[in-house]
Amino acid sequence: VYEVLVALKGRLFALAEHLERFDRSLAAVHIAAPLDAAAWRAVLERLVAENGGGDHSVYLQVTRGVAERDHAFPVNVVPTVFAMCRPLTRREGLDRVDAVTLTDNRWLRCDIKSTALLANLLLRNQALAAGAYEAVLLRDGEVTEGSSSNVFVVKDGRVWTPPLSHLILPGVTRALLLDVLEGCGIEVAEA
C-alpha cells in the first residue's frame, strides 16, 4: 500500500489523516503497520528536512516483505518500507480541465490505496488520448470518482460528491474540502 502527501514550507500537510488512511489500507491487506504515527512523522519529517525542506511531494510505500513467491501470505516476514520525496511542481493553468466519462472497470476494493493501479493508468491514458485531462468514472450509471481524483459537481447551488464506499478512495483532500464547505455554510449532497 502507499500514500502520497505534500510538505509545504517543510511541514507535512494533513499527516494524521493520511496516516489513518494508510493504516486502514495496511489492515485491509493484512500487513502489520511497521511504525506508529509518531515514528512515521519522525521518518517523513527527516526525509523532507534532508531534502532541503520547502515544498515536496512525499511518497510512502509498504510491501508485505521479502519472501518466496506464493499466493499465500508469508509468515514471519518483516514489511519493506520505501519513502521518497521530490520537489513539488505546480501545474499552471488548471483553472479548468477537460474530462471524458469512461466505464469504471477497476476492482471492487478501490477504498484500499494499493499500488495495483493498472486500471487507473489505462483509464487516465484513454482520457489523455481523447484530448482530456481526466476520466470521470461511471459504474452502473453512477459517478464513482476520477482516474486519479475525487469528483465534485456544483449544481443547483449545491456541491455534489459520490458517497464513500468500497468503490472510491476516501480522499484526504475530499474530507478536508467537505469540512471547509460545511464551515462556509455551503450545502453538500453525498449522492
Side-chain angles (χ1 to χ4, degrees), residues 2 4 27 33 65 72-74 107 113 126 129 149 155-156 162 168 171 175 184 187:
Y2 76 102
V4 178
F73 295 156
W107 75 316
K113 191 160 182 143
Q126 191 176 345
S149 60
K155 182 179 177 185
D156 300 329
I168 69 170
C184 292
E187 188 176 351

Side-chain angles (χ1 to χ4, degrees), residues 147-167:
S147 64
S148 62
S149 60
N150 290 123
V151 173
F152 292 86
V153 174
V154 178
K155 182 179 177 185
D156 300 329
R158 175 183 300 171
V159 176
W160 299 77
T161 190
L164 292 180
S165 74
H166 65 283
L167 298 176

Side-chain angles (χ1 to χ4, degrees), residues 47-155:
L47 178 65
V48 171
E50 288 187 9
N51 281 277
D55 297 350
H56 282 83
S57 173
V58 179
Y59 180 90
L60 173 63
Q61 178 178 305
V62 172
T63 66
R64 196 166 306 283
V66 179
E68 288 187 27
R69 175 135 175 24
D70 190 354
H71 287 287
F73 295 156
V75 293
N76 301 321
V77 295
V78 177
T80 300
V81 175
F82 172 78
M84 69 175 193
C85 68
R86 61 180 173 81
L88 187 62
T89 56
R90 306 269 190 248
R91 293 188 181 127
E92 297 299 325
L94 282 183
D95 296 337
R96 175 184 173 272
V97 298
D98 294 321
V100 295
T101 56
L102 297 173
T103 299
D104 188 346
N105 59 5
R106 302 168 304 153
W107 75 316
L108 296 178
R109 287 305 310 270
C110 297
D111 57 313
I112 300 170
K113 191 160 182 143
S114 78
T115 59
L117 294 173
L118 180 58
N120 296 68
L121 297 174
L122 292 171
L123 290 161
R124 173 78 193 286
N125 281 278
Q126 191 176 345
L128 292 171
Y133 179 82
E134 176 65 295
V136 174
L137 306 181
L138 303 172
R139 188 182 300 256
D140 299 324
E142 297 197 4
V143 172
T144 52
E145 59 187 340
S147 64
S148 62
S149 60
N150 290 123
V151 173
F152 292 86
V153 174
V154 178
K155 182 179 177 185

